[in-house]
Amino acid sequence: DPQRIVRSLSHEELYLTTREMDLDERAEILRYATLPQLFFISDIDCWKKDRIDPDKFLVWLETLLQAGDEKLLSWMLGLDAETLVAGMRKLAEVIKPEREYATDELLGDTPYFTLDENYFILVREENLETVRRVFEILFENQKGRYAALLESLMSELEDELEEEAYRLREGRLGERGFPDVEIAHRIYRPISDEEFRDFPLKKNVKERVWNEQPGPPRPAAPNYMTLWAGDRLFFDELLTQLQSDPEEVREGLQEELAWLSNKVIACEGIDFSSEERVRHGAERARAYVSIGLEALSGREPEAGLKLLRERWLEVLFRYGMTRAFRVRDEAAEIVRRWWHSKREDFLLFLNPPYEPIFRGLLKSIPEYYDGSSKATEELRDYRSLEEIEKGGLAARQVRLFHEAFERAAPKFFREVLNEKRMEDFEPTLYWALGTLYGTFILDGKPGLRAFSKKDLLQLLQAGFSPKAGRRVIDPAKRGEFIRKILKPDEAEALRPLLGLAFESLEEELGGLEISDAIDARFISALQISQDSGPGPKPKTSARKRKR
């Protein structure tokens, strides 16, 4: 029963099912589609942003012709006149000569045809067969609509017509959860705890009643939930526990998630030709609903189930996004407060893993740095509250470092942030900590100096101790240094960052043999004087040299 199967699919699923088929196969499937399904597919297929794409519109007509004259005719008669006229105008020009002898003069050498010797339709030669057959079907079945279409093609203003067609298209897509970009972006509007508490519950909203006679049947919702459930989220765990709930509860959640996914897709531009974009929209919707549930329930299943039954998924999504936005704003405040909003300068100052972490945090929609990922692109959407908390921890560590650095060595700190930067290379966070430690060992207080060969010898003797054939930072000296520049709560919070910075210093100096010349190009963990190496240091960042 192909008709039953095709009509049971949601509009989105039918489109995705037929998208990769050739013309014959696609026409065979669309022969059984409903008009609303056809309108949705043509609204996606035939437009490029806010303009009808003539090539895609022609292919759509060819597909409907292949599906049968009746299917093409029903689509043309059911579609709004503005879209039909705007689309046909991309393919054909109509003239209606007032005098018979003027016909040849007006037509010139352009290919044309006429069905009634009254209207003459000019078409590019490669499109002639398809366009002629479309007009023939309309002429044979609806002569009045045929004449009205041709009159509109001659008289309507193209820009105004296409603008109105686009508005009508947006209305149809809005009914499927695809609002215009401005409205769709409301899902990213932060929500406070107070606003969340005051937001209407499901049971307090009069819901639309479907399947009452007379009236249309309830439209199918796209099954994104099972199509693209790549990772098992807290949200997924809760859904498996809803099996004993009434079917309408589960169907309602399915529909809510579909419309929410469509809004996410709409924010990036409705482009169903990109499977990746559709997949990403569905996955982001699921992930941030899950994060909102985690934050509000404390990962307690019963509390999470209560939220699913009472709260709209969209408001849970907004709550999850708000948690991510708070961390993003913490990161942005560091750039604003200390780096005069110069984002790239700040990112160059950071060493891995802080550089990619903040590169993700500072995006308009913050992303998570997955250091364990083998993918080329290590940034992706957050998928859990734990990942957001990791981003928040990194932001707090870098903020505390800036506060401590500014307090312990204000002159050095200003030099690092100076617009001219350091003369010979771009400073990094680990370089700054290494230099602070070195000057503390040699001068008794943290500051800035360029280490000569003699200074390095003194630093290795006073600040390092032998271990397993190498040198490691002396634990006692390290402790003194930390107590000198950090408060106790800062030291505890900065333990991971300090560990990485000291590890970098040990890696570069632990096995160093002091020879007649030190190649400063291979030391990025502290400031080296120009006369220590065989030649001038290149003007590239220490971070790049280390890589």
Side-chain angles (χ1 to χ4, degrees):
D1 189 354
Q3 179 169 293
R4 179 185 61 80
I5 294 174
V6 170
R7 295 187 176 190
S8 71
L9 296 174
S10 72
H11 304 354
E12 295 91 337
E13 287 175 329
L14 180 60
Y15 175 80
L16 291 168
T17 300
T18 60
R19 180 169 60 91
E20 298 296 340
M21 294 179 176
D22 62 27
L23 189 146
D24 290 343
E25 291 175 325
R26 197 178 195 209
E28 178 67 24
I29 297 294
L30 296 184
R31 181 174 300 167
Y32 303 104
T34 64
L35 271 180
Q37 287 174 322
L38 293 178
F39 292 152
F40 176 83
I41 295 174
S42 61
D43 282 338
I44 298 296
D45 251 5
C46 299
W47 289 78
K48 186 175 183 179
K49 295 185 178 180
D50 58 349
R51 296 290 176 181
I52 293 175
D53 186 311
D55 294 333
K56 293 181 178 180
F57 191 80
L58 180 70
V59 172
W60 175 247
L61 294 178
E62 291 172 345
T63 304
L64 291 182
L65 281 171
Q66 193 80 355
D69 295 357
E70 183 180 338
K71 187 60 64 175
L72 171 68
L73 183 64
S74 62
W75 177 80
M76 292 179 71
L77 296 178
L79 189 66
D80 62 275
E82 290 82 357
T83 301
L84 182 61
V85 174
M88 296 306 298
R89 195 164 195 165
K90 303 281 186 179
L91 304 176
E93 179 185 353
V94 179
I95 62 173
K96 186 180 181 183
E98 296 181 2
R99 298 179 301 278
E100 185 177 344
Y101 63 82
T103 302
D104 291 338
E105 182 180 336
L106 290 172
L107 294 176
D109 297 329
T110 306
Y112 73 92
F113 65 90
T114 179
L115 302 179
D116 56 6
E117 300 299 329
N118 188 24
Y119 296 98
F120 293 82
I121 303 170
L122 287 68
V123 189
R124 291 171 59 181
E125 186 171 355
E126 61 268 27
N127 302 337
L128 184 59
E129 182 179 347
T130 298
V131 174
R132 181 187 180 99
R133 184 58 191 147
V134 169
F135 279 106
E136 284 176 346
I137 291 172
L138 190 59
F139 180 74
E140 292 164 4
N141 293 275
Q142 292 280 340
K143 287 185 172 60
R145 292 293 295 272
Y146 169 80
L149 173 60
L150 296 184
E151 287 291 339
S152 297
L153 287 171
M154 291 190 297
S155 60
E156 296 288 352
L157 296 175
E158 183 174 356
D159 289 342
E160 293 180 5
L161 188 70
E162 197 163 21
E163 184 178 331
E164 178 61 16
Y166 180 73
R167 187 188 67 80
L168 293 169
R169 171 198 185 241
E170 292 295 283
R172 287 191 295 271
L173 291 176
E175 293 175 1
R176 299 295 303 172
F178 291 102
D180 64 41
V181 173
E182 183 176 343
I183 294 175
H185 267 97
R186 293 176 186 173
I187 62 173
Y188 292 122
R189 189 171 57 196
I191 185 169
S192 66
D193 291 340
E194 183 179 359
E195 289 173 324
F196 180 85
R197 286 193 301 269
D198 294 341
F199 203 90
L201 301 176
K202 290 181 183 180
K203 63 184 179 181
N204 294 336
V205 177
K206 184 178 179 181
E207 296 191 35
R208 193 165 36 164
V209 179
W210 300 92
N211 295 334
E212 292 185 357
Q213 297 298 330
R218 181 173 183 165
N223 195 21
Y224 296 142
M225 194 180 298
T226 55
L227 276 176
W228 289 315
D231 296 318
R232 191 171 181 82
L233 308 175
F234 180 60
F235 180 31
D236 301 321
E237 295 174 12
L238 296 179
L239 290 174
T240 63
Q241 299 180 45
L242 286 174
Q243 297 307 310
S244 59
D245 282 46
E247 187 177 352
E248 55 265 26
V249 173
R250 300 195 301 274
E251 288 182 351
L253 287 171
Q254 168 74 17
E255 186 171 340
E256 283 186 67
L257 185 59
W259 302 161
L260 176 60
S261 300
N262 286 350
K263 287 183 179 180
V264 177
I265 295 167
C267 288
E268 299 182 13
I270 304 171
D271 182 7
F272 264 68
S273 63
S274 169
E275 179 182 321
E276 183 59 34
R277 182 170 292 184
V278 179
R279 182 190 300 273
H280 181 243
E283 289 182 341
R284 175 174 286 179
R286 288 176 55 250
Y288 277 100
V289 166
S290 188
I291 291 169
L293 287 166
E294 285 188 75
L296 290 161
S297 71
R299 287 193 66 88
E300 289 293 333
E302 286 304 317
L305 290 170
K306 187 173 185 292
L307 286 164
L308 279 181
R309 294 177 182 123
E310 295 181 354
R311 294 289 185 172
W312 300 102
L313 293 189
E314 185 170 321
V315 75
L316 293 171
F317 174 91
R318 287 178 58 196
Y319 196 88
M321 288 297 322
T322 300
R323 293 298 292 263
F325 289 152
R326 287 175 186 169
V327 179
R328 177 199 65 187
D329 293 344
E330 289 177 23
E333 175 60 19
I334 295 171
V335 183
R336 186 201 64 78
R337 177 178 173 185
W338 284 294
W339 293 85
H340 309 292
S341 299
K342 295 179 179 179
R343 178 175 172 272
E344 285 304 316
D345 282 355
F346 169 67
L347 291 173
L348 282 173
F349 176 68
L350 299 178
N351 299 84
Y354 292 96
E355 185 269 334
I357 288 173
F358 272 82
R359 195 168 290 279
L361 281 177
L362 291 170
K363 287 178 173 285
S364 57
I365 305 297
E367 293 183 351
Y368 176 65
Y369 167 64
D370 188 355
S372 64
S373 173
K374 295 180 180 179
T376 303
E377 180 54 66
E378 297 167 328
L379 296 178
R380 59 165 173 78
D381 275 341
Y382 285 95
R383 294 172 184 163
S384 68
L385 185 61
E386 181 184 8
E387 291 181 348
I388 290 180
E389 289 171 346
K390 287 181 180 178
L393 182 60
R396 181 169 181 249
Q397 289 171 2
V398 173
R399 174 178 59 79
L400 289 175
F401 168 76
H402 278 70
E403 291 174 351
F405 188 9
E406 184 178 31
R407 183 178 65 242
K411 184 177 179 181
F412 182 13
F413 186 73
R414 288 193 299 272
E415 184 71 23
V416 169
L417 301 182
N418 191 293
E419 289 186 3
K420 296 180 181 179
R421 315 304 303 278
M422 309 301 289
E423 181 181 349
D424 49 1
F425 71 106
E426 295 166 347
T428 67
L429 188 154
Y430 295 169
W431 166 87
L433 264 170
T435 302
L436 286 171
Y437 177 73
T439 53
F440 171 76
I441 297 299
L442 298 187
D443 303 335
K445 61 180 181 179
L448 173 65
R449 73 146 67 191
F451 288 79
S452 65
K453 174 184 169 183
K454 180 180 178 181
D455 294 333
L456 280 175
L457 278 170
Q458 292 179 355
L459 173 60
L460 291 173
Q461 293 167 357
F464 286 72
S465 57
K467 182 178 180 181
R470 287 178 59 86
R471 302 184 190 90
V472 296
I473 292 174
D474 185 279
K477 296 294 185 181
R478 172 174 169 164
E480 289 178 25
F481 169 70
I482 290 174
R483 287 189 293 273
K484 178 71 174 179
I485 69 168
L486 299 175
K487 301 173 184 176
D489 59 331
E490 292 176 337
E492 181 61 29
L494 286 171
R495 186 190 300 271
L497 187 151
L498 292 171
L500 290 169
F502 283 125
E503 180 182 321
S504 174
L505 190 60
E506 286 178 344
E507 181 182 329
E508 294 190 351
L509 301 186
L512 185 67
E513 294 295 335
I514 303 298
S515 58
D516 291 338
I518 299 170
D519 196 336
R521 292 173 298 178
F522 300 103
I523 298 180
S524 62
L526 77 171
Q527 177 77 354
I528 303 297
S529 65
Q530 294 287 347
D531 59 0
S532 295
K537 289 160 53 176
K539 293 187 177 182
T540 56
S541 73
R543 178 171 59 85
K544 291 177 182 176
R545 289 204 306 276
K546 186 155 191 330
R547 285 183 174 177

